[in-house]
Amino acid sequence: MQTQQRRGLYPEFEPYETGMLDVGDGHSLYWELSGNPDGKPVVFLHGGPGGGSSPSHRRQFNPGKYKILVFDQRGCGKSKPFASLENNTTWDLIDDIEKLRTRVAKVDKWMVFGGSWGSTLALAYAQTYPDRVTELVLRGIFLFQQYELDWLYAEGGASSIYPDGWDEFVAPIPQEERADLLQAYRKRLTSDDKQTQIAAAQAFSRWEGRTVTLLPSPAVMEEFTESDKAISIARIENHYMINKGWLDEGQLLRGADKIRHIPGIIVQGRHDSCTPPRAAWALKRAWPEVDLQIVPDGGHLYNEPGILDGLVRATDRFADA
């Protein structure tokens, strides 16, 4: 039997409009619209928090059929001020998405697409504004439950798979501070000394870079440890993790009833060491109608072959809905 060929990104295309949106609180967001101005509206929510967007993100959508809004969340990418933690919470970002919908995309409803932290934000947005969401396409589910934080930042989780990477991660922190690594890193990431910030950011971001690929990727590690990228990822991510995403334990699972009428697809890597399948399975239990696709040879990143195939097929499925 012939194996079905996996889908890849759509060919490169450029935005037809870009800009900055002043959302208040001292923040201005970079945004871009691409694809078909009269097409099906979709908003892309990047990961991190603090990861920023890239040109390949828009290529997960058919440009002839979708009106695609991609933006950099507060403090990262081209948004200003860079790496700012002030007025930077999940609920601020949800307000920003609504401002982008009404002021930039100028649409009544749209599809919401998000991976990793973007899946968290997509779920929180959809549960807040269920009447504004036509479909959900999600990857690498992260629900901000305590076990997920412990998996990444306490010994015995991802450290069991990457003990060498874990030793690198804890190395900058004195033994007496290792009981709470998030707080220990926060102290360094908010230091007034730039070099202290950069060194901590690179160590923090390098640990995440270890967990996001199925196989080692020098290119990913280089991207994650580039100083500016590392600063925005580490500072903002640490800020969100310490505050547990400003979500109550289990909030996104309890809120699943609000979105059960929304068509949804989840693409989840079986071997995702950053956001393991346990959270996606729990969400499927709370939201039985969602199409959960567990990719047997998939890790975490969207551009791994099996994950990307599932995501592009998902956007194609909804393109004419």
Side-chain angles (χ1 to χ4, degrees), residues 11 101 118 136 187 207 221 225 247 268 303:
R101 181 183 66 79
L136 283 161
K187 183 167 75 173
W207 167 239
M221 295 302 288
T225 54
L247 295 162
Q268 173 69 50
N303 55 6

Side-chain angles (χ1 to χ4, degrees), residues 7 10 36 38-42 60-67 111 134-135 137 263 265 312-321:
R7 298 294 306 280
Y10 277 93
N36 180 351
D38 299 316
K40 180 184 180 72
V42 61
Q60 295 170 86
F61 308 91
N62 183 333
K65 295 191 173 183
Y66 278 99
K67 176 180 184 176
M111 187 171 101
T134 55
E135 299 91 10
V137 177
I265 297 173
V312 173
R313 289 182 188 280
T315 62
D316 281 356
R317 189 198 303 183
F318 288 141
D320 296 315

